[in-house]
Amino acid sequence: MRAILVNNDRHPHGPPGSPRTTGRGLRTITPAAGPGRLATSRFGNQPAVTAPSQTFPAQPQRLSAATDGQGVILAVAYSSDARQRTSADLLARRVAHRLGCPVAVGQIQRGTLLADGSLRTLHDRGARRVVVAPAVLTAAADLQPGPRTLAHGAALNMTFAMAEPLGGDPLLLSGILELLSRSERSPQPDTPVRIVLPWTDASVAAEVARSTCRITEAGWGPAEVRVLDPSGELRRWDRDCGAGAPTPSTDPCDLADRGTGRHGRRRKRIVLPLSVLAGPFAARVAHCAEADGDEVIQQTLHATDACTRLIATRVVEARRR
């Protein structure tokens, strides 16, 4: 039952004989039941039209302030790409919801965290102990807030702790499996899966390759990890799911290594960029895969529960140190 407020400037307390109301010129009319029906107002026989009953989407809830003084800066690689900014903001909201504390986004530029505005945002919401959580697979060992950010934090009486980057954690493969399950394709044992990393994250390729057998166990074909280097060449890390260390080898980005399926047809791969955020790298992988005749999953890890859980775990670990 909705109440309609009607302005009645001529009769501040309603027409003679009507119930007295509080507030200038406002009185409550209870509409007749049912959408679009006519209701008779208390002004006499003049009909009042009521609006149909509608269901409005819930307004997004504002994140609560940091009651325990905790806050997080989600450190992402510097970029002016709008897709990356949008996905970083979405990931920050997901992490904030999981941890129950405010999260702001800062940018890493040349190994230095730039987060002056983020600190002010967290300070205004009650955060004083801040964990910097890199939303990247690898980060410089000496990654620290820049001098301006440190000075700004000191002026606001805020302290910093550094979380570890995501690395090649098995939860990344859980995120890949999430993305595969959201695709329109059902698992097929003759459909290979290719995971592509940027050259800057080549150091974790072998670690990621150790978990690719989980993709095969989920019903997909052979899975492989490739690193796209600046020259456009793909470097491959293969691993037998039994035992043994992953061995790197180099081959060109062509169709020859794909193998053939039934009737001599080339098997169509599914290609995924192993990237936390959307942006230029994911778009480049998609362009190359489509040009190669493969299917590509353009979603990135920022939209997966596994990635959110992994970042939250890194934050908790940093708080305990």
Side-chain angles (χ1 to χ4, degrees), residues 41-189:
S41 72
R42 295 180 181 176
F43 294 108
N45 296 326
Q46 181 181 0
V49 180
T50 66
S53 176
Q54 301 181 43
T55 302
F56 296 95
Q59 295 296 321
Q61 295 183 352
R62 187 173 181 178
L63 294 172
S64 59
T67 54
D68 59 352
Q70 301 283 357
V72 175
I73 292 179
L74 194 67
V76 304
Y78 177 82
S79 175
S80 59
D81 188 86
R83 295 164 296 185
Q84 176 167 313
R85 292 198 302 268
T86 300
S87 56
D89 289 341
L90 175 60
L91 180 58
R93 290 196 294 270
R94 292 172 64 93
V95 174
H97 179 73
R98 186 171 188 89
L99 290 173
C101 70
V103 177
V105 177
Q107 292 193 325
I108 304 171
Q109 188 174 19
R110 297 178 182 177
T112 300
L113 175 67
L114 307 178
D116 296 3
S118 303
L119 284 180
R120 172 57 65 182
T121 299
L122 295 177
H123 183 273
D124 291 346
R125 297 176 62 182
R128 298 297 181 269
R129 296 183 296 278
V130 176
V131 173
V132 178
V136 293
L137 304 188
T138 59
D142 57 348
L143 173 64
Q144 291 292 334
R148 277 190 55 183
T149 301
L150 286 173
H152 195 55
L156 296 173
N157 195 28
M158 302 176 78
T159 60
F160 296 90
M162 298 298 300
E164 295 293 328
L166 306 183
D169 195 283
L171 275 175
L172 295 177
L173 258 295
S174 299
I176 291 294
L177 289 170
E178 280 188 57
L179 297 179
L180 285 170
S181 68
R182 297 176 191 174
S183 69
E184 297 178 356
R185 292 284 302 272
S186 299
Q188 297 291 337

Side-chain angles (χ1 to χ4, degrees), residues 131-133 161-164 312-321:
V131 173
V132 178
M162 298 298 300
E164 295 293 328
T313 300
R314 293 285 191 266
V315 171
V316 172
E317 290 170 351
R319 288 175 178 173
R320 292 174 177 171
R321 288 200 297 266

